[in-house]
Amino acid sequence: MADTGFPGKAHRLWNALEERNISPESIKLIIITHGHFDHTGSLSEIKEKTGALILISQSDGLLLKKGISPPVILTNKWIKKFIKLNKNIAAPQVVPDIMIDSNFPLTDYGLDAEVIHTPGHTPGSLSIIIEERSAIVGDLAMNFGLLSRSSYIPIIASNLKEVYKSWQKIIDMDVQTIYPAHGRIISIDVLKNSLSKLKKSFH
Ligand SMILES: [Zn+2]
């Protein structure tokens, strides 16, 4: 499974598993796309009940161990005007089992899938390339409509240029469908369009 939501929200997972007749113990691996507290909130509780291993990138994992959510840097000047964010938001302190700094195939877990490094939203953000050329990208792209200026830029990014490079990386892997953590599915064609418009505006 990927990411564990806000603190105190594990019941949502238990309900979803029950509806599908899946036992919590059948979850063997929890992939954390990045260390923001809204993705790691219920991690301890979910790890305890499932007994799954936790996989995260090296750089976000070091912060997770200390109970720190990676810095929040807003990309949208309008939102910046209205929201003042604390740079060091606390996150639950959890010790990960696997910290990666290169690709991680999921074949040992019975999946034709791979975890790849897609930095930009946080320095250690990961994406999961899954079967049928889809990608679970965490917050590498967001689909909030107006809030993300309809261009799918995450409203928070440690490095926006890295975000665009990571988008290109996913496009080059022939991914067709993007699953963002916030908002609806994004087709690769609209992401390509958005990227080419953004590149033009750089020059
Ligand atoms: Zn995030």
Side-chain angles (χ1 to χ4, degrees):
M1 67 172 284
D3 293 343
T4 56
F6 280 99
K9 297 291 181 191
H11 61 275
R12 288 193 179 180
L13 174 67
W14 311 140
N15 291 343
L17 291 178
E18 204 177 310
E19 277 169 21
R20 291 163 180 80
N21 266 326
I22 300 171
S23 75
E25 296 77 24
S26 62
I27 296 175
K28 300 295 178 206
L29 185 68
I30 302 166
I31 299 162
I32 299 294
T33 59
H34 64 289
H36 282 150
F37 72 101
D38 58 328
H39 294 253
T40 63
S42 300
L43 184 53
S44 306
E45 194 183 337
I46 292 173
K47 179 180 171 63
E48 198 182 308
K49 189 157 173 175
T50 58
L53 299 179
I54 298 168
L55 181 144
I56 190 168
S57 68
Q58 189 82 28
S59 57
D60 283 27
L62 291 173
L63 294 176
L64 182 69
K65 270 188 186 175
K66 293 181 189 162
I68 300 169
S69 191
V72 162
I73 302 158
L74 292 166
T75 56
N76 183 308
K77 63 179 181 190
W78 299 107
I79 301 173
K80 253 185 204 168
K81 276 191 178 174
F82 295 108
I83 305 174
K84 290 266 175 287
L85 282 170
N86 179 347
K87 283 197 169 175
N88 278 326
I89 298 171
Q93 195 169 7
V94 184
V95 178
D97 301 285
I98 307 167
M99 296 208 288
I100 60 168
D101 52 17
S102 58
N103 294 1
F104 187 90
L106 295 172
T107 37
D108 284 354
Y109 294 86
L111 295 171
D112 177 17
E114 185 179 25
V115 183
I116 64 165
H117 193 203
T118 49
H121 176 65
T122 66
S125 285
L126 302 174
S127 294
I128 311 161
I129 308 296
I130 53 176
E131 291 149 52
E132 289 150 11
R133 312 318 302 163
S134 301
I136 296 170
V137 299
D139 292 351
L140 178 65
M142 290 185 179
N143 197 359
F144 276 141
L146 271 183
L147 259 185
S148 46
R149 293 178 280 172
S150 304
S151 52
Y152 312 102
I153 298 170
I155 58 173
I156 291 160
S158 60
N159 184 329
L160 209 44
K161 280 194 178 157
E162 289 281 334
V163 165
Y164 302 147
K165 273 192 204 164
S166 293
W167 282 9
Q168 190 63 53
K169 187 175 183 178
I170 284 179
I171 290 166
D172 292 344
M173 291 182 85
D174 198 26
V175 163
Q176 298 301 310
T177 311
I178 307 275
Y179 291 89
H182 304 284
R184 292 176 185 219
I185 291 171
I186 304 167
S187 96
I188 203 70
D189 292 333
V190 296
L191 201 71
K192 276 183 194 166
N193 277 339
S194 178
L195 188 59
S196 66
K197 277 185 203 155
L198 290 162
K199 276 185 179 163
K200 274 180 204 156
S201 68
F202 284 153
H203 298 296

